[in-house]
Amino acid sequence: APGAVVGSEHAQFEGHVHATARGLWGLLEYADLAGDERLKTFVREGYEYIRQFGIARIGLFGEVCTVGDMTSLAVRLSDAGVGDYWEDVDQYARNHLAEVQILDPGPIRAIAAASPAAPVKGWEDPDRFVERTLGCLCDDALHPTLSTPGIMMCCTYNGLIGYYHAWEGIVREHRGVARVNLLLNRASPWLDVESHLPHEGVVVLRNKTARAAAVRMPRWGDPGRVACTVNGRRFEPAAMGRHLLVEGL
């Protein structure tokens, strides 16, 4: 970094990214409770510093633990009013978190068949290993076109925290207005989001208790070309920045 940059003032660091990102998350929790705006800014600068590495627009940060951390941080920074990072959450969740979960046993069996036999160590349990691996997350978020099925349980744990924060943040509600931050599937007390993306350009909102809905359009979408219907009838929503507002529900 240039000599004029005081890293300790701007959360610039050198070392293990996951450990530091998790530390930033803890600082943000404290700053939010204490109303410490300077510390919130410090965390935001740390988040944006990490975002300069890898290929942030697809959530490629090297280690799945870090992808989970960055997803959680983006949600919590947005909730804290420090910035609007829902586009980041969308990109991380769709392009990497969704891709690093092991759902197909085929590659695991192929690797096992091609690997040399090794004695089972005392702390290892090979019983139904492949079946027990399904649902776990790979440890590698370094390659944009390949997820290598190596596994560290810390990545499964930390990555799944990112899954939770992304899922939980899909819909927010305040005074009868449901804010849809992500066009991903989510059932909520206010409305349910039924998303057909990316296979079809359709999202269905099934209202329960909301009086209005503000739906965020992703960066790659053109709000002016979105067709909306309410109960099957064409409706022209008002636009608020990247959000389309549907009132009178």
Side-chain angles (χ1 to χ4, degrees):
V5 175
V6 182
S8 59
E9 287 289 317
H10 301 287
Q12 296 189 4
F13 64 92
E14 185 176 10
H16 192 208
V17 180
H18 160 52
T20 304
R22 182 51 62 91
L24 290 171
W25 184 2
L27 289 174
L28 181 60
E29 294 281 347
Y30 168 78
D32 202 24
L33 290 170
D36 190 330
E37 299 303 321
R38 179 186 174 279
L39 189 53
K40 289 181 186 179
T41 299
F42 179 84
V43 175
R44 185 197 70 203
E45 289 186 310
Y47 169 83
E48 293 185 348
Y49 178 69
I50 297 172
R51 201 172 56 175
Q52 296 179 60
F53 297 91
I55 305 177
R57 67 181 180 273
I58 60 172
L60 192 150
F61 293 109
E63 184 182 1
V64 170
C65 286
T66 305
V67 184
D69 294 336
M70 290 292 281
T71 304
S72 300
L73 267 174
V75 171
R76 299 309 296 269
L77 283 166
S78 300
D79 285 344
V82 185
D84 183 346
Y85 295 105
W86 290 111
E87 191 69 30
D88 290 4
V89 178
D90 203 354
Q91 294 176 134
Y92 303 160
R94 287 186 182 279
N95 293 300
H96 236 88
L97 281 182
E99 298 299 323
V100 295
Q101 189 172 33
I102 298 174
L103 301 174
D104 180 5
I108 304 297
R109 295 189 191 281
I111 290 173
S115 299
V120 177
K121 299 182 173 59
W123 60 84
E124 296 177 339
D125 180 5
D127 181 52
R128 298 178 62 252
F129 170 76
V130 173
E131 291 77 10
R132 288 160 52 210
T133 299
L134 297 182
C136 294
L137 306 186
C138 302
D139 58 16
D140 178 27
L142 186 63
H143 303 89
T145 59
L146 173 69
S147 288
T148 57
I151 301 170
M152 292 189 296
M153 287 301 107
C154 65
C155 289
T156 294
Y157 168 76
N158 291 300
L160 288 177
I161 294 175
Y163 277 64
Y164 168 76
H165 279 112
W167 170 84
E168 191 271 338
I170 291 171
V171 182
R172 292 274 194 264
E173 186 272 346
H174 182 67
R175 295 183 177 179
V177 179
R179 189 175 77 250
V180 180
N181 296 307
L182 304 168
L183 301 181
L184 298 168
N185 292 326
R186 167 83 152 91
S188 79
W190 317 289
L191 55 75
D192 295 346
V193 183
E194 178 186 308
S195 176
H196 296 252
L197 302 176
H199 309 290
E200 187 179 358
V202 175
V203 177
V204 180
L205 306 182
R206 303 191 184 279
N207 190 38
K208 295 176 178 176
T209 64
R211 291 185 290 103
V215 186
R216 188 188 69 85
M217 292 294 102
R219 185 177 299 159
W220 46 263
D222 180 358
R225 298 180 62 191
V226 175
C228 298
T229 60
V230 177
N231 295 329
R233 302 177 67 176
R234 185 67 181 264
F235 176 81
E236 293 295 335
M240 298 188 306
R242 298 297 304 178
H243 289 77
L244 299 181
L245 181 63
V246 183
E247 298 181 283
L249 299 178

